[in-house]
């Protein structure tokens, strides 16, 4: 019984973790909170499955028959909750192998999680074990109300607030590497008052915020350009592949900013190193642009990995920023053209050792790109004497 209650508590916590409460996410970064959400979901389903297995193996009389036509409704409700919540976890973990389109998966995930959790609550209250004792009823009412409040906040309150603060698409600019820059300006409201360079936001286009069609993208513009915002979006999926077809004048909605991937969190650093892979350069570009506007004089290094020279997004902008900052740019190409005199292959320990300063005390490193790249770069940096606390990673894909 304790395993069942523990699993239910963790599933209730899932709604809180995904509600994007700023006080909860700001110390850690919402990408980390979403990863915790994913790991806790597996722990929760393991606890609930073990709860059921123990009853099935050792307390068959209490479990009763499995046939829903004959079983007590509250026991059938518990089994339905296990199946629904298990399906929510499995389809999230293996969304891509199952070929679930992101938008369809969002609906499926929300439906499975909500129905599964409702069935679990019905099961617990129907069985009545430890829920009807003196004082426990009030506790369960309060807990259920808090979980319901988190669901209502995500599904109703936040979308309603977004509807009242729309943005308009002002420009769509095609860039190398199958990337498009989307420029937005607030309509009828002041827009974001501030954000830290390197943060991101959830973007809804061609849809209502109530319809779960939002996608997270990094802001490529610096805070100094507010209220205008620009997003760098690479064609990687069903939604992002249509960005170039967006026309100026279309309405968009934003939920943000989020994230802690910013130099503002490390103002006392002796210098900054940025390691990016592909479109992972977008938040770093926001940081560099902001540092240029601030007149930053500390030494900066950018190691930028791409498959080919033609896929180097923002190359001209980065070169221009290098004239305004003490910025050393190192391009690393997996498939370089003939005559290429830069670094080849991937961002390795040897490449980092060649381009990092000899004195690395006080240096803070920012990594953003595909997970294999960032994991390899993190390990290499630590062998080169950069402490783990000075290595910041933006999770490239966490939903």
């Amino acid at each position: 019984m304790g395993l069942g209650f523990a699993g239910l508590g963790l599933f209730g916590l899932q709604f809180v973790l995904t509600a994007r409460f700023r006080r909860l996410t700001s110390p850690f970064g919402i990408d980390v909170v979403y990863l915790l959400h994913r790991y806790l979901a597996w722990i929760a389903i393991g606890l609930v499955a073990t709860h059921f297995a123990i009853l099935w193996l050792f307390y068959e009389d209490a479990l009763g028959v499995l046939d829903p036509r004959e079983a007590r409704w509250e026991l059938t409700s518990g089994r339905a909750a296990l199946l629904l919540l298990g399906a929510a976890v499995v389809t999230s973990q293996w969304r891509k192998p199952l070929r679930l389109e992101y938008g369809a998966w969002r609906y499926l995930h929300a439906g499975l999680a909500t129905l599964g959790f409702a069935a679990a609550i019905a099961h617990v209250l129907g069985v009545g074990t430890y829920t009807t004792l003196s004082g426990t009823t009030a506790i369960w009412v309060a807990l259920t109300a808090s979980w319901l409040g988190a669901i209502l906040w995500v599904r109703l309150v936040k979308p309603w607030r977004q509807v009242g603060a729309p943005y308009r698409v002002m420009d769509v600019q095609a860039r190398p590497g199958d990337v498009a820059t989307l420029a937005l300006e607030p309509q009828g409201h002041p827009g974001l008052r501030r954000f830290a360079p390197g943060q991101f936001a959830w973007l809804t286009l061609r849809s209502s915020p109530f319809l779960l069609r939002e996608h997270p993208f990094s802001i490529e513009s610096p805070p100094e350009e507010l209220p205008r915002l620009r997003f760098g979006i690479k064609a990687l999926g069903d939604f992002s592949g249509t960005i170039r077809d967006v026309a100026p004048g279309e309405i968009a909605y934003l939920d943000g900013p989020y994230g802690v991937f910013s130099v503002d969190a490390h103002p006392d650093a002796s210098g900054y190193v940025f390691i990016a892979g592909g479109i992972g350069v977008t938040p770093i570009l926001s940081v560099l642009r902001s540092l240029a506007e601030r007149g930053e004089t500390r030494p900066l290094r950018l190691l930028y990995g791409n498959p080919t020279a033609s896929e180097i997004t923002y190359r001209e902008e980065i070169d221009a920023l290098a004239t305004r900052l003490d910025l050393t740019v190192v391009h690393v190409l997996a498939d370089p053209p003939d005559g290429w005199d830069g670094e080849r292959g991937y961002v390795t320990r040897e490449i980092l050792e060649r381009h990092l300063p000899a004195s690395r005390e006080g240096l803070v490193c920012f990594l953003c790109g595909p997970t294999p790249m960032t994991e390899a770069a993190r390990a290499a940096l630590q062998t080169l004497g950069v402490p783990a606390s000075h290595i910041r990673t933006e999770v490239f894909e966490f939903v």
Side-chain angles (χ1 to χ4, degrees):
M1 297 304 174
L3 291 170
F5 282 117
L8 178 63
L10 286 181
F11 276 122
L13 180 62
Q14 301 296 70
F15 294 105
V16 177
L17 292 177
T18 56
R20 302 178 199 163
F21 294 117
R22 295 189 189 278
R23 289 180 181 270
L24 172 65
T25 62
S26 58
F28 315 103
I30 200 167
D31 51 346
V32 173
V33 172
Y34 267 64
L35 285 177
L36 176 64
H37 162 72
R38 181 179 299 178
Y39 297 145
L40 287 183
W42 277 107
I43 295 172
I45 202 65
L47 291 172
V48 175
T50 305
H51 159 75
F52 173 76
I54 290 174
L55 290 172
W56 189 14
L57 294 173
F58 303 108
Y59 299 92
E60 190 174 353
D61 291 342
L63 186 66
V65 297
L66 297 180
D67 189 339
R69 295 171 298 179
E70 301 178 20
R72 289 155 46 195
W73 73 266
E74 65 270 22
L75 298 180
T76 298
S77 181
R79 294 157 197 163
L82 177 59
L83 293 175
L84 290 166
L85 293 170
V89 174
V90 169
T91 54
S92 298
Q93 183 69 36
W94 289 289
R95 175 175 69 86
K96 290 187 177 180
L98 291 171
R99 298 182 180 179
L100 288 172
E101 187 268 329
Y102 179 80
W105 166 77
R106 286 289 306 275
Y107 284 113
L108 178 65
H109 186 69
L112 290 172
T114 303
L115 289 174
F117 191 67
I121 292 291
H123 165 69
V124 169
L125 296 179
V127 171
T129 305
Y130 303 122
T131 62
T132 57
L133 299 175
S134 176
T136 58
T137 301
I139 293 175
W140 274 101
V141 169
L143 284 173
T144 303
S146 67
W147 293 328
L148 179 61
I151 297 173
L152 293 177
W153 170 260
V154 174
R155 305 301 177 211
L156 294 178
V157 178
K158 287 178 72 72
W160 178 77
R161 294 174 66 179
Q162 291 177 53
V163 167
Y167 284 75
R168 189 175 300 276
V169 177
M170 306 306 294
D171 182 53
V172 182
Q173 182 180 0
R175 296 185 178 276
D178 211 12
V179 172
T181 290
L182 202 67
L184 307 176
E185 290 187 2
Q187 298 295 300
H189 63 100
L192 290 183
R193 288 178 294 176
R194 67 178 71 88
F195 72 91
Q199 289 190 301
F200 66 93
W202 264 268
L203 170 69
T204 300
L205 270 172
R206 296 174 171 172
S207 182
S208 166
F210 290 98
L211 297 181
L212 305 181
R213 307 294 296 186
E214 57 185 359
H215 299 259
F217 295 108
S218 293
I219 303 170
E220 74 164 54
S221 53
E224 288 76 11
E225 286 187 12
L226 286 173
R228 172 172 282 220
L229 292 166
R230 286 181 285 148
F231 294 85
I233 303 173
K234 184 176 178 65
L236 294 172
D238 297 317
F239 174 79
S240 57
T242 66
I243 291 298
R244 295 192 182 194
D245 300 327
V246 174
E250 292 192 34
I251 296 299
Y253 302 96
L254 294 179
D255 179 22
Y258 295 100
V260 294
F261 188 77
S262 178
V263 295
D264 289 355
H266 304 274
D268 299 325
S270 61
Y272 301 107
V273 172
F274 306 98
I275 302 173
I279 193 60
V281 77
T282 308
I284 293 171
L285 186 65
S286 172
V287 171
L288 292 176
R289 284 170 166 163
S290 185
L291 290 177
E293 292 296 323
R294 302 175 191 181
E296 179 62 60
T297 59
R298 282 172 289 186
L300 312 172
R301 283 171 171 77
L302 169 62
L303 289 88
Y304 187 15
N306 281 283
T308 64
S310 63
E311 295 178 79
I312 302 176
T313 310
Y314 307 112
R315 186 171 188 172
E316 293 181 359
E317 289 90 339
I318 292 171
D319 289 342
L321 286 167
T323 65
R324 302 173 60 191
L325 295 163
D326 184 5
L327 173 64
T328 301
V329 181
V330 179
H331 292 289
V332 185
L333 299 182
D335 185 18
D338 293 338
W340 175 258
D341 58 359
E343 296 289 358
R344 300 167 177 262
Y346 301 96
V347 180
T348 62
R349 183 187 188 280
E350 291 71 27
I351 290 177
L352 288 170
E353 191 169 21
R354 279 197 292 271
H355 296 285
L356 259 60
S359 176
R360 291 153 198 164
E361 185 176 356
L363 204 64
V364 178
C365 303
F366 294 84
L367 285 56
C368 187
T371 301
M373 184 212 79
T374 56
E375 288 182 347
R378 174 187 287 276
L381 287 168
Q382 288 185 259
T383 65
L384 292 171
V386 179
S389 60
H390 284 201
I391 303 173
R392 311 301 300 172
T393 304
E394 179 84 322
V395 178
F396 196 61
E397 184 175 354
F398 57 91
V399 295

